[in-house]
Structure formats: structure tokens, C-alpha cells
Amino acid sequence: MPELPEVEVLVRHLRPLLRRRKVLSVTVNRPKVVRPDSVLSFREGVVNHSFETVDRRGKYLVFQLLKPGRQGRLTMLGHLGMAGRLYLQPTGSPLPKHTAVILQLDGVELVFEDPRYFGRLSLSTSALEKLGLEPLSPEFTQAALSRLLASSRLPIKPALMSQPRIAGIGNIYASEILHRALISPFLPANVLTRSQIGRLHRATLFILREAVRFGSTVPLAFGQDGTRNGLFYYGQATSAPSGYEERLSVYDRKNLPCSRCGDLIQRVEQAGRSTYYCPTCQS
DNA sequence: CACCATGTTCCTTG
DNA sequence: CCAAGGAACATGGT
């Protein structure tokens, strides 16, 4: 579920719901998920603080909390890993099997569920310092993208996924962006032409914005009965006419026809991850 | 049973 | 310093 667009939709959802709410207690079922990894220091670090702002940087959720007595701020980072979900439910509602952390608020609880326990809730902000360009910010210009790509010989697909270069693009959207830009995933980043970089820049904005737009128009379905339709954990493929199935052009479409030219989508491995592409459109 | 999975970090090797 | 490759983390779907 979580690349930049999914995290952005989640942040917009949580922002008004968390504002000024106080953390009454903290339950950590999976100590490995919190940082610092001492349950006691994490709990003591967060309890009695009030949520002020909720933002996103790359794939991270950035929570600003006010300390008791409004003396200073605390930043908590959330990362959903591969399968994490974060949602509010009425206090005492049934909890999913793999609940890692619960923050008790007034009448509601913030549940961090993660079957694979790859996600994190952290009181350290050091991860943010390692992140590169923010694609949906004004600094993400074609010139900035060009500069960044010139310094790497990585194939463009893993380069796009490299968080210290560009923050927030993961395995699904990297393939989708390159297909829209008509660029081969194997092309070394530093050999892209000006016009290819232009297409890549425009495709990145289009694909990410379109995914945020889609996620924002589909009803959220959290909790026990929340259907997880692959990428998004909201909406049902059946109830969304232009739903999940039709949103992705190449990802997970091995041997299915390319929507643009009809040739068959190929799957290859790059840097240990699956890359999907159209060998004709992306030569 | 096998293989794959939206992610990051750490390690070794070149 | 860069890049590549592998392993680890832990569970679920097909």
C-alpha cells in the first residue's frame, strides 16, 4: 500500500482527525516497530503529548506533537513499510491480528497494524535528513531532476527509487512513470537526453498526482472490514469503475497487452525488484 | 512445498 | 565515494 501517493492520501485523511488530540496512553505490542526500541522510552516520549500537525516527506508521515504545558515540540515519524496501515477507530473496537502499536486518544485509538512488522514509529527524525528531492514540491523542477540524474550511472528505474535522490517513489510507481515517459528502465540515469528528462519530469508529476487524486475520491475503508485491494486499502475494485485494475498500466501486468501498443508487458529483475515495462514503447 | 510481495538497512565485494 | 548483490526483517497470498 505505501508509496508517496498512498501516504499523502493517508496524511490528508488523518490531519483533521488528529489535530489537538492528546495521547492518553500507549500500548506497544511489537517493540521492534518503535524507536527508540525501548518500549518505556517510546511510551514516555509520546504520552500526554498532543497532535498538532500531520505532514508527509517521501514515504514518511511526520507528526508534530506539543509537549505537556506547551513547552516545545516533539516529532514522531511513521513509516508503513510494505504492508502497514494506520487508522483511527473507536476505543475498544476489535483489533486486527497484527497490531503493532496503539495510541489511546480521547474516545478513539490510533492503530498501527502491520502484518510484516517492517513499518516503524520513531521519535528520531534522522531518517528525514537522508531524503532527496520531494516530487510534489516546487523544488522538483526539470533542472533539479536533470542535475540529480547526471551524477548517477544507475539504471533509471532503480535511480528513481533511490530515496536519497528522489523521495517517495517505490517499485510500483517507478515502473508506471517510466512507461508513461516512454523510457527504458535499463537506461543509465546520466545518459538521458534533455527531452527524455522532460518527459520523465512530466510523467512523474502526472502519475503521482493522478494516484493521489484517485485515492482521494475513493471512500476509505479501514478496520476489520476494510478491504485491501492491493495498493490502496480503501475502496473496492468492484465499486470503483475506474478502480485499481485499470489504474496501473504495466505493474503486475506480465504478458498482458500494453494499453498503448498491444505488445506484451515484460517482467525483469533489477536491483532485486521486479520491473515491468513494454519493450516496444520503452526501447 | 515453491515463489512472490507496495521497503529499508546492513554487510561484503569490486 | 559509487555500485552491485545478498541477507535480514516476518507474514500472507497464490
Side-chain angles (χ1 to χ4, degrees):
Chain A
M1 104 83 193
E3 294 186 29
L4 183 155
E6 292 76 35
V7 178
E8 178 64 24
V9 171
L10 179 58
V11 160
R12 292 181 190 185
H13 169 77
L14 291 177
R15 183 177 287 142
L17 299 177
L18 288 179
R19 183 161 293 144
R20 297 190 187 281
R21 303 197 86 137
K22 185 173 172 183
V23 179
L24 303 179
S25 66
V26 178
T27 305
V28 179
N29 290 340
R30 280 285 176 151
K32 304 205 115 176
V33 166
V34 300
R35 300 273 169 85
D37 49 17
S38 143
V39 170
L40 248 114
S41 37
F42 179 82
R43 186 191 288 121
E44 292 312 305
V46 175
V47 80
N48 287 331
H49 290 60
S50 301
F51 283 97
E52 274 299 302
T53 61
V54 186
D55 290 292
R56 179 192 58 74
R57 176 81 170 95
K59 300 171 193 172
Y60 287 88
L61 297 114
V62 183
F63 302 97
Q64 295 282 354
L65 298 102
L66 278 191
K67 295 183 177 179
R70 287 180 278 161
Q71 302 297 313
R73 288 170 175 276
L74 167 77
T75 302
M76 178 174 74
L77 296 188
H79 195 293
L80 300 171
M82 292 275 269
R85 293 157 46 118
L86 194 56
Y87 60 92
L88 282 165
Q89 66 176 14
T91 295
S93 303
L95 292 165
K97 185 175 174 186
H98 300 291
T99 300
V101 182
I102 309 150
L103 302 189
Q104 295 295 343
L105 312 181
D106 184 13
V108 293
E109 53 194 13
L110 183 62
V111 178
F112 187 22
E113 177 214 357
D114 186 0
R116 293 176 69 170
Y117 302 111
F118 285 180
R120 295 288 181 268
L121 283 184
S122 172
L123 301 186
S124 160
T125 57
S126 59
L128 297 184
E129 298 158 15
K130 301 168 193 157
L131 297 179
L133 266 186
E134 181 60 46
L136 298 187
S137 79
E139 312 125 43
F140 185 67
T141 59
Q142 183 176 329
L145 179 62
S146 180
R147 242 177 286 126
L148 179 157
L149 296 179
S151 66
S152 174
R153 287 162 295 262
L154 272 182
I156 187 62
K157 196 300 194 132
L160 275 183
M161 291 174 62
S162 161
Q163 304 301 302
R165 295 183 172 84
I166 309 176
I169 299 174
N171 202 38
I172 293 177
Y173 293 113
S175 282
E176 294 297 314
I177 288 166
L178 289 173
H179 179 255
R180 183 170 178 90
L182 308 177
I183 292 170
S184 162
F186 308 110
L187 209 55
N190 64 346
V191 307
L192 267 70
T193 63
R194 180 178 293 264
S195 93
Q196 285 173 320
I197 294 171
R199 293 207 304 275
L200 183 60
H201 181 249
R202 291 190 295 276
T204 300
L205 288 176
F206 180 90
I207 293 288
L208 296 180
R209 284 173 177 161
E210 190 61 19
V212 171
R213 190 201 61 75
F214 173 83
S216 306
T217 56
V218 173
L220 292 162
F222 294 114
Q224 296 292 321
D225 55 344
T227 52
R228 182 193 298 243
N229 79 25
L231 238 201
F232 284 93
Y233 45 94
Y234 30 69
Q236 287 128 5
T238 51
S239 73
S242 60
Y244 175 68
E245 301 300 331
E246 298 158 31
R247 280 194 316 111
L248 302 180
S249 299
V250 287
Y251 183 81
D252 204 19
R253 291 181 54 82
K254 180 184 176 182
N255 288 334
L256 292 174
C258 170
S259 55
R260 191 170 168 277
C261 77
D263 281 354
L264 302 188
I265 301 302
Q266 306 291 303
R267 174 192 178 276
V268 295
E269 207 167 290
Q270 283 185 293
R273 312 294 300 280
S274 291
T275 295
Y276 296 86
Y277 72 106
C278 170
T280 303
C281 297
Q282 299 172 258
S283 59

